Amino acid sequence: MSPTSAEHVSSLFLCRADDVIFPRQGFGRGAKQPFPSLGTFISTLSQRRDAGGRGLAGGMTGGLSSTHWLRHGRELPPICSDVRQKQRLSIDTLPPEVKAPFPSDPVIPLRTKTTKEFQEDMERAVQSGDWREVREFYLTTFDSFIEINAAFKREANGSFNTIDDSGVNAKFVNAVYDALLGTPQDIQKSVLKGIINSLLREWKGPRTKDDLRAYFILVQNPQYSSTSTYVIYAHLLRQIAALSEADHHFLVHWLKKLTARRFRQLVERLLQFISTRLFPAEPDELPPLAKCSWWIPSATKVLSLFNAANSVSSTPIMPFTDFYNITLEHIDFMEEYRTWQNYGNSNRFSFCQFPFILSTVVKKAIIQKDSEQQMISQARQSLVNKVSRRQRVDMNLLFLNIKVRRAQLLSDSLDELTRKRCDLKKKLRVTFVGEAGLDMGGLTKEWFLLLVRQIFHTDYGMFTYMKDSRCHWFSSWKCDNYSEFQLVGTLMGLAVYNSIALDIHFPLYCYRKLLTPPTAPCDQNGLVGMATATLDDLQQIMPELAHGLRELLSYEGNVEEDFYLTFQVFQEEMGVVKSHNLKPGGDKIPVTKQNRKEYVQLYVDFLLNKSIYKQFAAFYHGFHSVCASDALMLLRPEEVEMLVCGSPELDMSALQKAAQYEGYSKTETTVRCFWEVVLAFPLELQKKLLHFATGSDRVPVGGMADLNFKISKIDVPTDWLPISHTCFNQICLPMYRTRKELKHKLTIAISNAEGFGLE
């Protein structure tokens, strides 16, 4: 496309009163011109008016004159002041519909064009080349918010003031937008000019529902995929972001009614807008960042509405991970984190305010760096205390030193962690008594592995393995001391703190409890872990019981006579069946059709919260005694699970691509045989190989590439087995001559990989 001429450059982009911004070219690339000032713009408009022009170039009906611009040419309203809060800002749970007074809607002109008629107009235009009728439709429709409603509202003057129905003819909107990018350039430009007029003209205080409908329709415009339209898009996002909470509530529920394809397109467009604004392809592709610092906060706030719509949808429209913006892995996210910590209630923007946009990789890095700072601080304080008392400095005081015997692993670990509670935030270092092993990370990994294996063994009784759901849940037996549950929590906290992945199988609900609240209350007696429990949560743990309770809720017969239940339940504890009233006098209250919902809710809450409260509270405080960080407020339960457990899904092809070599090249026979054998291994042997080389069979956040896996040559006879250095994720291979020999030796090595040195 040729460079945009001076006659219509002002028709393309929205202006800002303090420094008017236009593109230098149209939808293609052309000669670059400086951004005009407000004075230059008004002067140009005046010259055109005096020359008999029609306001904005291109002859748009209802174009802006210079006096019109002076009247409306003010700074568009700023993003709302409460956009920045210290707590995680995510509209996961929306308030009840707010009944705010709205000014009466203006009378909307009657437009009768149907989807079919529009499509027929498009077909005729494509075949004949005569676009006049289509041009007139687009010119009229996007001229104002009133015209947008006239075209797309199902009933022109219907109220449609509910969250359940936007009143928008979605099929017609989709047809008009799907056709737009296939129309001639002058039609596309006329739509953008109309949007400019609409955004400037329509800001007159409180929003009506028709205004919300117009915003809802305009944000779906596919033209915003082009960077040449980003100035207009930014101002649209700014106005949407500045709407009231009640208006956002409506938009969230309207957005969740979009088709999955359309919804995803809009989310991806917003993510691309943020990425491009952060890292433009060319330095002068967009206006200077200093003059449009509000672009990213506005876009992120609007993206949060889509995230909220996804959350409140009965079934998520798209995975929450698709809201991650991986571009943010390349910014100074620790600066974002510090801003979020230091400016809790101010208007200072930080991406940490909208954690749904941060990937698990970023959140893990924040937690790791935050942990490192706490470790350094703890070690420095210990050092200062020693020096101030003029005591001899022992470098061991910089570490959390755990010394255990394999035969008494659990009791020794419990004693060590209890005795060294003040050192939990130091770097962990493990020693197995009687073994010659210096812990550079490998011994720590094995300590975690063996301890978890022992704690979760069914014979130990702390946790019950649920065969139907293949997960562990807390045993409800009562005891005088819950310190071992605190040990498990501490162990999980240490794993996150020291970046170790554990082979633990808790249901997702456990991690939601762990974040309730996300930071431990100052009052030790404060309630913790009491997350709202639903039948869906019970389904994760006890699917058969959940199914039975659902049948009770849907039963059409006489509930009281046929089920003969009361608000009393029975539970087996250490072989003894005990009864529990779900409410005072529950044993005398029958379950009926009228109160069965209450019964189910109380029963689920009893099973998942009250019956295990002391066990889980000890577990919770153990975890938070190590991971006491604001960074936990950024996490979803699924992300906590990923940090604790890593990923069980192994991709050995990805490991092969990321592998490093020392003494070998990737084309040598031994290396080629190694990968042929490993890729052909069943999953169980692949896990054993990963455990043999790294000390864990779990994949860390970030994938196989984060393992820094290395294959090294070792100059020993080929009758030797492979050797590993789990501290460095390294496997050492003799120069085996054949694939068969390598497979035999490797299988023996990975199947007998436990212990360091001599016992």
Side-chain angles (χ1 to χ4, degrees), residues 88-90 92 307 310-311 318-326 328-329 340 351-368 492-493 495-497 499-502 504 506-515 518 623 627 630-648 698-702:
R88 57 183 290 167
L89 183 60
S90 179
D92 293 333
N307 180 61
N310 195 56
S311 298
M318 53 194 284
F320 71 89
T321 53
D322 288 352
F323 282 88
Y324 291 163
N325 190 329
I326 59 173
L328 301 183
E329 295 174 14
W340 178 65
F351 281 113
C352 291
Q353 184 183 344
F354 302 90
F356 65 85
I357 200 173
L358 300 175
S359 69
T360 313
V361 172
V362 170
K363 291 171 184 173
K364 179 189 177 186
I366 289 174
I367 290 174
Q368 281 183 332
M492 273 181 50
V496 172
Y497 204 65
S499 303
I500 305 291
L502 301 180
I504 288 178
F506 281 132
L508 187 61
Y509 181 67
C510 175
Y511 298 99
R512 184 142 63 86
K513 285 169 70 69
L514 207 54
L515 293 176
F623 180 82
C627 290
D630 287 340
L632 287 177
M633 297 171 68
L634 305 175
L635 298 174
R636 295 172 57 100
E638 297 92 339
E639 293 167 332
V640 178
E641 181 180 28
M642 180 67 76
L643 289 177
V644 171
C645 304
S647 171
R698 315 287 286 189
V699 181
V701 174

Side-chain angles (χ1 to χ4, degrees), residues 101-314:
F102 284 90
S104 58
D105 294 341
V107 176
I108 296 174
L110 186 62
R111 303 281 183 245
T112 59
K113 189 176 288 293
T114 64
T115 305
K116 183 178 179 181
E117 289 170 346
F118 170 78
Q119 291 171 334
E120 289 172 350
D121 290 345
M122 280 295 301
E123 289 175 9
R124 281 195 298 271
V126 170
Q127 292 171 2
S128 67
D130 183 357
W131 291 89
R132 283 177 296 180
E133 193 167 349
V134 172
R135 182 179 291 106
E136 182 60 29
F137 170 79
Y138 278 109
L139 195 69
T140 303
T141 297
F142 290 94
D143 183 54
S144 68
F145 279 16
I146 292 176
E147 290 291 351
I148 290 172
N149 276 274
F152 298 116
K153 199 172 175 182
R154 289 202 304 273
E155 296 176 20
N157 289 295
S159 59
F160 296 108
N161 288 337
T162 70
I163 61 174
D164 299 319
D165 186 3
S166 66
V168 171
N169 185 339
K171 184 179 179 182
F172 194 18
V173 171
N174 292 342
V176 169
Y177 278 146
D178 288 344
L180 178 57
L181 297 184
T183 62
Q185 288 293 313
D186 66 310
I187 294 179
Q188 297 185 42
K189 292 172 188 175
S190 72
V191 171
L192 293 174
K193 287 190 296 185
I195 295 173
I196 292 172
N197 286 341
S198 298
L199 293 177
L200 289 174
R201 181 185 302 131
E202 299 300 331
W203 190 266
K204 299 174 183 176
R207 306 287 82 195
T208 67
K209 292 297 188 297
D210 285 334
D211 292 334
L212 296 188
R213 259 181 288 279
Y215 285 128
F216 175 62
I217 293 166
L218 287 178
V219 81
Q220 299 179 51
N221 188 335
Q223 291 175 289
Y224 305 135
S225 296
S226 168
T227 56
S228 61
T229 63
Y230 272 13
V231 177
I232 300 176
Y233 192 31
H235 279 284
L236 171 63
L237 297 176
R238 190 183 211 188
Q239 289 195 12
I240 295 175
L243 294 171
S244 69
E245 186 178 2
D247 293 338
H248 285 160
H249 184 48
F250 275 85
L251 285 177
V252 163
H253 284 272
W254 291 351
L255 288 171
K256 77 176 185 180
K257 301 290 179 64
L258 293 172
T259 64
R261 183 179 70 88
R262 189 75 62 180
F263 188 91
R264 178 178 288 277
Q265 286 175 346
L266 301 185
V267 169
E268 290 175 350
R269 190 174 299 148
L270 281 163
L271 291 170
Q272 183 62 37
F273 176 84
I274 293 169
S275 299
T276 305
R277 177 64 276 183
L278 283 170
F279 302 104
E282 297 179 16
D284 56 351
E285 184 178 26
L286 298 173
L289 184 58
K291 292 188 175 182
C292 50
S293 58
W294 47 270
W295 281 28
I296 290 175
S298 298
T300 309
K301 182 68 180 291
V302 174
L303 187 61
S304 75
L305 301 180
F306 283 87
N307 180 61
N310 195 56
S311 298
V312 300
S313 179
S314 55

Side-chain angles (χ1 to χ4, degrees), residues 21 33 49 74 217 225 257 331 355 369 393 443 458 471 474 521 552 564 571 577 585 655 740 749:
I21 298 175
Q33 304 171 17
R49 180 194 58 193
R74 60 195 182 283
I217 293 166
S225 296
K257 301 290 179 64
I331 67 171
K369 290 183 183 295
V393 175
L443 287 169
T458 52
C471 70
F474 296 78
L552 170 63
Y564 202 67
Q571 198 170 45
V577 177
L655 186 64
K740 181 178 180 181

Side-chain angles (χ1 to χ4, degrees), residues 54-92:
R54 298 176 59 191
L56 288 174
M60 175 177 175
T61 303
L64 296 175
S65 69
S66 59
T67 54
H68 186 93
W69 169 251
L70 286 170
R71 186 165 62 252
H72 293 282
R74 60 195 182 283
E75 176 72 354
L76 289 170
I79 192 167
C80 51
S81 59
D82 62 346
V83 71
R84 178 66 185 81
Q85 300 172 9
K86 175 151 185 186
Q87 63 272 21
R88 57 183 290 167
L89 183 60
S90 179
I91 317 177
D92 293 333

Side-chain angles (χ1 to χ4, degrees), residues 336-401:
E336 295 286 325
Y337 179 63
R338 284 188 288 270
T339 297
W340 178 65
Q341 283 188 303
N342 297 333
Y343 297 90
N345 296 316
S346 74
N347 294 331
R348 187 87 172 262
F349 171 79
S350 167
F351 281 113
C352 291
Q353 184 183 344
F354 302 90
F356 65 85
I357 200 173
L358 300 175
S359 69
T360 313
V361 172
V362 170
K363 291 171 184 173
K364 179 189 177 186
I366 289 174
I367 290 174
Q368 281 183 332
K369 290 183 183 295
D370 194 41
S371 300
E372 287 169 7
Q373 289 300 314
Q374 292 185 43
M375 286 179 183
I376 292 169
S377 177
Q378 188 83 17
R380 183 185 292 120
Q381 187 59 48
S382 297
L383 193 61
V384 168
N385 290 341
K386 283 281 188 181
V387 172
S388 64
R389 291 196 295 266
R390 300 191 177 186
Q391 296 176 338
R392 181 174 175 273
V393 175
D394 182 356
M395 294 308 293
N396 283 326
L397 63 84
L398 301 178
F399 297 91
L400 168 59
N401 292 289

